[in-house]
Amino acid sequence: MQPQFSAKLEATSWDPKLEAEMRQTWEFERIFDFKPSNNKNRNFVMDTPPPYPSGKPWHPGALTQYTQIDMTARAARMRGLNVLYPIGIDRNGLPVEIFAERKYRVQMRKTPREEFINLCKHALDDLEAYMIGLLKTLGISGDYYNKYRTDSEEYRKLTQWSFIELWKKGLVYLANRPNNYCVDCNTTIADAEIEYEELPTFLVTNTFKVKDSKAELSVATTRPELLVACQMLVVNPADGRYRKHVGKTAIVPIYNREVPIRAHKSVDPKFGSGVVMVCSYGDYNDVMLFREFKLKEIVAVDLDGKMMAVAGKYAGVPVKDARSQVIQDLQEMGVATKVEQIQHRTPLCERSHTPIEIVPMEEYYLKQLDFKPALRKMAKRIEFHPAMHRQILLDWIDVLTTDYPISRRRYYSTEIPVWFCSKCSTPHLPKPGVYYRPWRDEAPFKKCKKCGNARFVGETRTFDTWMDSSLSPLYVTKYMKNTKFHALTYPATLRMQGKDIVRTWLYYTLLKSYQLTGREPFKHAWVGGLGQDSQGRAMRKSLGNFVDPEPIFVKYGADAFRFWGASEAGLGYDFRFSEERIAGAGKFLTKLWNTCRFISSFPVPETAELTWTDKWMLNELGKLTQECVAAYERFDVFTVATKVREFLWNVFASNYLEMAKGRAYGDGATKGEQEAAWYTLHTVVRSMLLLLAPVTPYLTDYAWRKLYGTQSVHLEAFPKPQRFDISEKVSQSIMEFNAQVWKTKRDKGLALKDPIAARIPANLKHFEKDLVRMHHITK
RNA sequence: GGGCCCGUAGUCUAGUCUGGUUAGGACGUCGCUCUCACACGGCGAAAAUCCCCGGUUCAACUCCGGGCGGGCCCA
């Protein structure tokens, strides 16, 4: 390098260790604080998913999503907006309890409630520290100073307040209904928390005698232990084989009870023998048939998943064992004529992977069916990114058939603020605005308003966790707490989340926001794809394909991980994990770094008399800038990352830089031409750093401060695009001509610095001087 | 069974809405090359019946119909 030019960056590659230093600077300067503008339109309010501490390691796909959320926040700041980017931790619910049970080797039901809650808190604090640490490592620029927790008194107060409001509006009711129940988690669960898996099970074909006849019916079932709860046999009305039996009575084996034989169109004549037993409750079709035929339910399974007394000799036996025993007994009795193993689509609890039982229980319900039309309208009003994912929500709204069961029989969740009169059982709700623990606290009433009794029993149940998290847009905009702040920030600008929780978090947020405020909680919804393993399968701890992201951050740095995440998949599409590709992103950062390093050795002129080559480059840069800023406005970081990489590497570095290099060194150029090269080089580097700042915040800020100033790049605005009248065709010709010369030299075995004779195309006349110098062209 | 999305080189993708280019780029592979920003570089090469079959059209990766395959979700 010529002595008069020396670079402001020394190392030949970006060192990820500098990220920690940069992070400390940000924290010290507090550059990400939110100051609300009195002009509502200047406030960019983000409703981001408070992560759920459920164990280590954290899902790398989720972390990718958090980096994309962060890019959007940073981009909004650079668009001059005041950005509210909350950091929350969702600390309520099942995963925490399961984690605590495992960690401290205790069982929730055998531990005093207060004690178990404290264990959960402990476990949560550990996990939370781990998670916050990772978020910071990744450069997430949220508001850590106002970090919120969904299990805080403040938050739970709001959850309880919302419940009391909904109760007052008549939207909550108690009802005894068959419910999805997990015998491991000991709680009811919502439809949204069920997953299905094909599992091996026995299909048992039993013989039922038809009363007052010699006829026998073969009945196939996967749940023979529920014979005790069988109340009917059904066949398809169109099935000629059984038409003569419809209306007659069959005898249930083992229990010798009489049940009717009926016809219903829901029966598949091709399943088993075409005769199905209906019991309380094998599946949802049973529930429907019990309702339709007004059958009397027989409760055979208790809340611990054991057979009840009504099951006779099987009483006290867990369902699964009872099933084996029953099968054996049926075989010995000659009732079971066939036992075959089949794959059966089994509903499982999403958290514990235990098969769901359907048992009747009294639970609280929040009305939702009445709101389907309003929700559908709202779903259409909210702008989805990408638009295609709106369909997930619309489909879900369409298939809802029951109201939302909101109560859970758990400990570590927000308590349902209700006391019952000990005499007449009338429910009493307290005044909102206080955090209540009815299982522990004295009732805040003197007398029952109905019977005058002075004693109350506190509700022990808690809320489903979505009852808390669905309030996030209200909580972060200080609903019920700061009217002015709320008015300036609600509805939020943007909800960002994964497509896996559209049916839960997104849906319940819309439902409750509508019920409480009558309007949509946010204007835009960004619905991201999911991170999968290298083969495109969901990443699950149970599948053993889970990647621990931490070593990756250490090895490649957060910026490489971020750039990879941004450039890997288009907005809303799933993406696969690949360390190789993260390493590839790291190479791009090296390229960016060295571009900055090289150009940092030249002075920064205020203005310049541009040559055609410079105008061409600045015009290309202008087009890129426009595209990228537009992409950021659509919350699309994929376009930014891929276009910038393409531009920087293949257009700027390969072509312009080589064309202008000699001129920048002053090689056969006038002072003015030299300065024009400097000016253009710096303009491009400046723009590169600004456009990439949201994506790779560490490297860009480090380089920015070294090259251009004292202030963080994150406090700057995006550059204004410059345009010059240079056609796309000329641009292509330049790059084609360069490639042509390179290829010719290659074919002739010449080094790049060797002279070569070449004819410069007519439309590149203006660029002749730079081209000749670059390729050492002799005439 | 239904819905949504997707099927482009070994892998990941752009392009498809608004039909016409030698189908662009990245990772990986191979060859040459340490040329004064970068060998985590440069240059080049190989590598794609654009899932299949029909239709529309002068012309289809692109539009239409029908298959097949994958993913996610619902029943």
Side-chain angles (χ1 to χ4, degrees):
Chain A
M1 181 179 296
Q2 309 201 351
Q4 70 265 40
F5 300 115
S6 73
K8 292 182 177 139
L9 304 174
E10 282 167 16
T12 56
S13 69
W14 163 246
D15 180 2
K17 289 199 185 71
L18 294 170
E19 290 178 351
E21 188 185 302
M22 208 64 246
R23 189 159 54 239
Q24 277 170 8
T25 309
W26 294 340
E27 277 180 32
F28 177 73
E29 294 177 354
R30 294 195 64 153
I31 58 177
F32 304 126
D33 285 4
F34 171 62
K35 298 163 207 83
S37 163
N38 283 326
N39 176 356
K40 197 170 173 172
N41 294 326
R42 306 305 304 162
N43 291 327
F44 187 87
V45 179
M46 303 176 70
D47 181 23
T48 62
Y52 217 132
S54 58
K56 293 181 190 180
W58 199 350
H59 196 298
L63 288 168
T64 307
Q65 203 166 79
Y66 281 103
T67 65
Q68 296 184 349
I69 291 171
D70 182 62
M71 292 171 205
T72 305
R74 288 175 184 270
R77 289 192 200 101
M78 294 182 76
R79 283 161 56 204
L81 301 167
N82 298 29
V83 176
L84 172 59
Y85 180 7
I87 295 285
I89 302 280
D90 188 2
R91 311 205 340 158
N92 290 313
L94 261 177
V96 165
E97 292 177 348
I98 292 169
F99 183 80
E101 282 183 322
R102 223 174 288 149
K103 182 168 177 177
Y104 302 110
R105 303 217 170 105
V106 294
Q107 275 180 282
M108 185 178 92
R109 307 257 168 225
K110 292 185 181 153
T111 313
R113 187 160 179 161
E114 191 103 49
E115 199 179 314
F116 187 76
I117 286 174
N118 283 331
L119 290 178
C120 286
K121 275 206 179 109
H122 257 276
L124 281 165
D125 290 347
D126 273 6
L127 284 173
E128 181 180 306
Y130 161 76
M131 296 174 93
I132 294 284
L134 278 187
L135 290 179
K136 288 192 172 173
T137 300
L138 281 172
I140 302 304
S141 62
D143 187 0
Y144 297 98
Y145 294 98
N146 292 300
K147 181 183 77 186
Y148 72 90
R149 295 167 165 174
T150 59
D151 64 347
S152 66
E153 190 172 330
E154 197 67 35
Y155 201 106
R156 286 185 166 177
K157 216 195 286 181
L158 180 69
T159 304
Q160 293 186 334
W161 171 87
S162 75
F163 172 79
I164 296 166
E165 279 302 299
L166 295 169
W167 179 284
K168 281 189 201 154
K169 287 174 193 255
L171 299 177
V172 179
Y173 61 92
L174 279 152
N176 202 309
R177 289 189 187 159
N179 250 295
N180 304 310
Y181 185 84
C182 173
V183 298
D184 264 6
C185 305
N186 285 108
T187 184
T188 38
I189 62 175
D191 289 350
E193 295 169 306
I194 294 178
E195 58 181 29
Y196 292 84
E197 211 170 293
E198 294 285 336
L199 293 177
T201 188
F202 290 108
L203 181 67
V204 184
T205 306
N206 296 313
T207 308
F208 280 58
K209 291 201 165 71
V210 179
K211 194 185 170 192
D212 303 328
S213 137
K214 285 199 179 118
E216 292 186 331
L217 292 173
S218 290
V219 182
T221 179
T222 57
R223 300 292 307 268
E225 77 280 11
L226 290 181
L227 274 172
V228 58
C230 174
Q231 287 291 48
M232 180 171 74
L233 295 184
V234 268
V235 299
N236 191 292
D239 195 336
R241 293 175 292 177
Y242 305 113
R243 197 163 293 149
K244 57 176 179 285
H245 299 300
V246 174
K248 293 191 174 155
T249 301
I251 314 286
V252 179
I254 301 181
Y255 299 97
N256 294 316
R257 264 184 311 107
E258 297 184 4
V259 297
I261 303 168
R262 301 256 174 82
H264 193 268
K265 60 182 185 328
S266 68
V267 178
D268 176 6
K270 280 179 266 164
F271 176 79
S273 57
V275 188
V276 175
M277 67 178 209
V278 180
C279 23
S280 53
Y281 292 98
D283 59 25
Y284 266 88
N285 202 43
D286 285 346
V287 175
M288 187 194 78
L289 291 170
F290 263 75
R291 209 177 291 160
E292 207 171 314
F293 288 91
K294 297 197 165 55
L295 302 173
K296 187 167 182 296
E297 72 191 4
I298 297 173
V299 182
V301 179
D302 71 11
L303 298 186
D304 291 319
K306 290 180 180 144
M307 301 306 292
M308 294 171 71
V310 67
K313 66 180 277 206
Y314 310 104
V317 181
V319 169
K320 211 175 161 193
D321 301 333
R323 188 175 310 152
S324 317
Q325 287 182 24
V326 169
I327 292 175
Q328 204 180 339
D329 291 347
L330 288 168
Q331 281 176 309
E332 278 166 16
M333 293 161 68
V335 171
T337 52
K338 196 160 124 198
V339 178
E340 54 184 326
Q341 201 174 42
I342 56 160
Q343 292 295 111
H344 182 66
R345 193 158 176 279
T346 314
L348 301 176
C349 168
E350 185 182 76
R351 318 270 195 217
S352 69
H353 263 268
T354 313
I356 295 298
E357 290 296 332
I358 300 171
V359 294
M361 305 185 82
E362 184 186 70
E363 299 292 359
Y364 291 83
Y365 288 85
L366 177 61
K367 288 188 184 170
Q368 59 179 354
L369 298 179
D370 302 346
F371 295 90
K372 283 167 77 162
L375 292 172
R376 215 175 275 127
K377 244 193 220 160
M378 226 159 62
K380 286 183 180 154
R381 227 171 14 237
I382 292 170
E383 225 177 292
F384 275 71
H385 306 267
M388 67 180 178
H389 284 342
R390 175 185 284 117
Q391 203 56 41
I392 303 174
L393 177 63
L394 290 173
D395 287 352
W396 180 242
I397 294 173
D398 282 344
V399 302
L400 288 169
T401 54
T402 56
D403 285 330
Y404 169 29
I406 55 175
S407 45
R408 298 289 180 270
R409 290 151 201 272
R410 306 297 307 172
Y411 289 173
Y412 204 86
S413 301
T414 304
E415 290 83 354
I416 298 179
V418 174
W419 277 265
F420 294 92
C421 169
S422 69
K423 220 179 205 168
C424 70
S425 298
T426 302
H428 287 63
L429 273 73
K431 284 202 190 83
V434 179
Y435 171 40
Y436 296 102
R437 270 160 282 206
W439 57 273
R440 198 187 77 173
D441 298 348
E442 198 66 24
F445 321 102
K446 289 218 171 71
K447 274 186 194 164
C448 171
K449 59 190 173 195
K450 196 170 166 199
C451 72
N453 172 36
R455 290 191 54 204
F456 293 89
V457 179
E459 175 59 79
T460 57
R461 280 169 287 182
T462 58
F463 287 118
D464 173 33
T465 186
W466 300 110
M467 283 293 280
D468 300 285
S469 51
S470 58
L471 294 169
S472 63
L474 292 175
Y475 186 83
V476 302
T477 58
K478 302 191 195 286
Y479 192 42
M480 299 305 289
K481 202 166 133 193
N482 183 334
T483 316
K484 190 182 173 211
F485 188 96
H486 183 72
L488 288 172
T489 50
Y490 190 84
T493 315
L494 172 65
R495 155 65 65 93
M496 297 185 83
Q497 61 162 76
K499 68 178 187 188
D500 52 335
I501 50 175
V502 168
R503 295 181 297 141
T504 50
W505 194 40
L506 182 57
Y507 170 74
Y508 291 133
T509 306
L510 295 190
L511 175 68
K512 288 187 68 191
S513 300
Y514 182 76
Q515 291 174 335
L516 292 166
T517 72
R519 62 203 289 199
E520 62 266 36
F522 32 74
K523 294 173 205 138
H524 299 267
W526 179 99
V527 180
L530 307 176
Q532 302 169 328
D533 74 2
S534 57
Q535 279 124 79
R537 292 173 308 173
M539 234 184 249
R540 289 229 179 83
K541 280 170 194 158
S542 58
L543 282 176
N545 60 355
F546 214 84
V547 179
D548 181 356
E550 261 186 299
I552 304 245
F553 302 153
V554 174
K555 195 164 169 191
Y556 303 100
D559 270 359
F561 179 79
R562 291 173 64 113
F563 189 86
W564 164 79
S567 60
E568 186 63 16
L571 177 55
Y573 290 91
D574 295 343
F575 50 93
R576 295 179 183 194
F577 254 79
S578 153
E579 185 172 339
E580 208 177 48
R581 298 176 71 79
I582 294 170
K587 286 188 183 179
F588 169 71
L589 296 189
T590 303
K591 187 71 185 177
L592 172 65
W593 173 265
N594 279 294
T595 307
C596 294
R597 187 165 79 95
F598 175 46
I599 288 161
S600 73
S601 61
F602 301 115
V604 189
E606 288 294 307
T607 54
E609 197 66 37
L610 299 175
T611 70
W612 279 95
T613 312
D614 303 321
K615 286 181 185 166
W616 163 65
M617 179 44 27
L618 293 178
N619 190 51
E620 291 299 307
L621 179 70
K623 284 195 278 185
L624 174 80
T625 304
Q626 214 160 36
E627 263 182 296
C628 289
V629 174
Y632 275 130
E633 282 169 7
R634 308 190 293 273
F635 320 119
D636 169 12
V637 293
F638 175 75
T639 300
V640 175
T642 50
K643 298 264 175 183
V644 169
R645 177 172 55 195
E646 168 72 10
F647 173 87
L648 178 77
W649 212 315
N650 298 333
V651 181
F652 176 66
S654 294
N655 288 278
Y656 177 81
L657 201 51
E658 296 302 327
M659 285 167 80
K661 197 192 263 180
R663 186 148 56 87
Y665 279 129
D667 180 9
T670 68
K671 188 75 194 148
E673 286 168 341
Q674 186 180 30
E675 281 182 1
W678 293 346
Y679 174 86
T680 308
L681 289 169
H682 278 295
T683 304
V684 173
V685 165
R686 239 190 242 272
S687 296
M688 290 293 98
L689 292 176
L690 291 167
L691 290 175
L692 283 174
V695 180
T696 54
Y698 290 112
L699 186 158
T700 51
D701 202 14
Y702 185 90
W704 181 266
R705 289 173 197 248
K706 289 269 184 205
L707 267 63
Y708 301 117
T710 48
Q711 175 177 275
S712 169
V713 72
H714 302 296
L715 296 172
E716 303 285 340
F718 285 128
K720 295 265 174 293
Q722 294 185 64
R723 300 305 294 266
F724 296 91
D725 187 22
I726 292 178
S727 74
E728 182 62 38
K729 206 165 165 9
V730 167
S731 178
Q732 263 180 30
S733 294
I734 292 172
M735 295 191 275
E736 276 166 17
F737 177 75
N738 288 336
Q740 191 57 46
V741 175
W742 287 323
K743 186 168 163 45
T744 308
K745 284 193 173 178
R746 159 112 253 116
D747 291 347
K748 291 186 174 167
L750 297 171
L752 287 178
K753 62 186 170 193
D754 290 338
I756 186 172
R759 198 184 55 83
I760 290 167
N763 65 341
L764 300 187
K765 262 227 128 28
H766 293 310
F767 308 92
E768 184 164 353
K769 208 172 162 188
D770 283 330
L771 291 171
V772 165
R773 190 193 298 106
M774 169 186 181
H775 295 296
H776 311 282
I777 293 173
T778 57
K779 281 274 166 95

